[in-house]
Amino acid sequence: MVANFRQKEILDLARKDGKVTVDGLAEFYDVTVQTIRRDLSDLAQSGRLERVHGGAVIPSGVVNIVYEERRRLNEGGKKSIALACAQAIPHGASVFMNIGTSTEAVARELLDHENLLVVTNNLNIANILAQNHSCEIILAGGVLRRADGGIVGGLTVDMVKQFKFDYSVLGCSAIDADGDLLDFDGQEVMVSSTAIGRSRKVMIVADQHKFTRKAPLTICSLRDVDVLFTDGKLAPALSANCESWGTQVVTS
């Protein structure tokens, strides 16, 4: 296979799964690991992938990944996380849900729940849950962010402050090794932080790739969270911290 076609396929696989491994790609393409390392180096030099031990991931830093690409990252993992989270939410609950592809996955798993009140600053979640006719949906007002259907700003924060939620279901862009939840947009951080303060129980939905990514702004710490739903093992130090903080970790 010509290298540039293989590299395009490797990039597509990384976008789908969030990560590719040298050994896995070498076996898949029936080429040497040295060949794959050269492919990954080329993709890293062009900024399309970021090298990590044993493979590569979609890069992140101070700019977030395009929203449609985020939707395709680890779809299976997000679905299993969403199912576990939805099962922990009873019928008749009031729920806040923020912007993110993981929270959208949770919304799809709530379509059979009855008598929910859902407040969201995510147009996509509102459209998904519109199919659940027993769910009352309140869309928080504010400034529309066309790139991902998010609604942010001071008006959004003021509206969220008016509620007391049974649950907040929140996504984030990254989770640092010390347990800090991170994001890229200061306005979005304000909305999520406000929801945390107005919720009886805080749930975070984050797939395993969030632990390898970076973002510049802090939402809160996992010490402020009741339950973390994920699809990968936490590092031993972070797992121990969650236990000491009383943060439940549910791995699906």
Side-chain angles (χ1 to χ4, degrees):
M1 180 180 287
V2 179
N4 60 341
F5 287 109
R6 186 174 57 244
Q7 289 177 12
K8 181 181 182 303
E9 288 190 353
I10 289 171
L11 188 59
D12 288 340
L13 288 169
R15 285 170 172 162
K16 178 177 179 292
D17 299 328
K19 179 179 181 179
V20 289
T21 66
V22 171
D23 291 341
L25 291 172
E27 182 178 353
F28 182 77
Y29 288 110
D30 193 22
V31 296
T32 65
V33 294
Q34 289 79 10
T35 296
I36 295 299
R37 288 193 182 107
R38 284 195 295 272
D39 286 337
L40 296 183
S41 293
D42 289 345
L43 290 166
Q45 286 175 7
S46 66
R48 289 175 288 176
L49 287 181
E50 180 180 326
R51 288 300 306 270
V52 296
H53 181 70
V57 298
I58 294 293
S60 66
V62 295
V63 179
N64 206 351
I65 301 171
V66 175
Y67 201 72
E68 285 304 318
E69 289 190 6
R70 286 159 56 194
R71 268 209 180 98
R72 294 194 293 268
L73 291 177
N74 193 17
E75 287 181 327
K78 288 176 183 176
K79 182 174 176 59
S80 65
I81 291 166
L83 181 59
C85 179
Q87 288 174 343
I89 297 173
H91 299 292
S94 60
V95 186
F96 177 82
M97 304 179 74
N98 74 345
I99 304 165
T101 57
S102 294
T103 50
E104 288 176 25
V106 176
R108 293 186 188 94
E109 301 300 331
L110 291 174
L111 288 176
D112 292 329
H113 275 53
E114 296 180 357
N115 301 319
L116 292 178
L117 169 65
V118 174
V119 180
T120 184
N121 65 326
N122 183 333
L123 279 178
N124 302 314
I125 284 176
N127 286 326
I128 291 166
L129 286 173
Q131 301 171 60
N132 181 345
H133 295 289
S134 75
C135 177
E136 183 176 352
I137 304 162
I138 298 176
L139 195 57
V143 179
L144 174 64
R145 196 165 61 190
R146 289 180 175 83
D148 58 9
I151 300 173
V152 294
L155 287 173
T156 318
V157 170
D158 289 344
M159 187 167 182
V160 172
K161 283 179 180 176
Q162 297 178 41
F163 291 88
K164 185 71 175 182
F165 305 105
D166 295 322
Y167 301 89
S168 275
V169 178
L170 305 173
C172 61
S173 295
I175 299 179
D176 208 32
D178 62 4
D180 279 351
L181 276 62
L182 307 173
D183 220 311
F184 291 91
D185 188 321
Q187 294 189 92
E188 188 174 337
V189 168
M190 284 193 299
V191 175
S192 298
S193 299
T194 302
I196 289 169
R198 302 299 300 164
S199 301
R200 296 181 177 90
K201 194 164 190 175
V202 177
M203 296 173 163
I204 300 297
V205 285
D207 72 36
Q208 57 188 294
H209 302 299
K210 297 296 173 69
F211 295 92
T212 62
R213 298 186 65 206
K214 299 175 183 177
L217 300 174
T218 303
I219 303 170
C220 68
S221 167
L222 280 174
R223 72 166 68 239
D224 307 311
V225 169
D226 295 289
V227 190
L228 167 66
F229 294 91
T230 187
D231 63 337
K233 274 191 168 184
L234 273 62
L238 182 55
S239 180
N241 281 338
C242 285
E243 187 173 351
S244 69
W245 297 331
T247 302
Q248 182 185 1
V249 179
V250 176
T251 305
S252 56

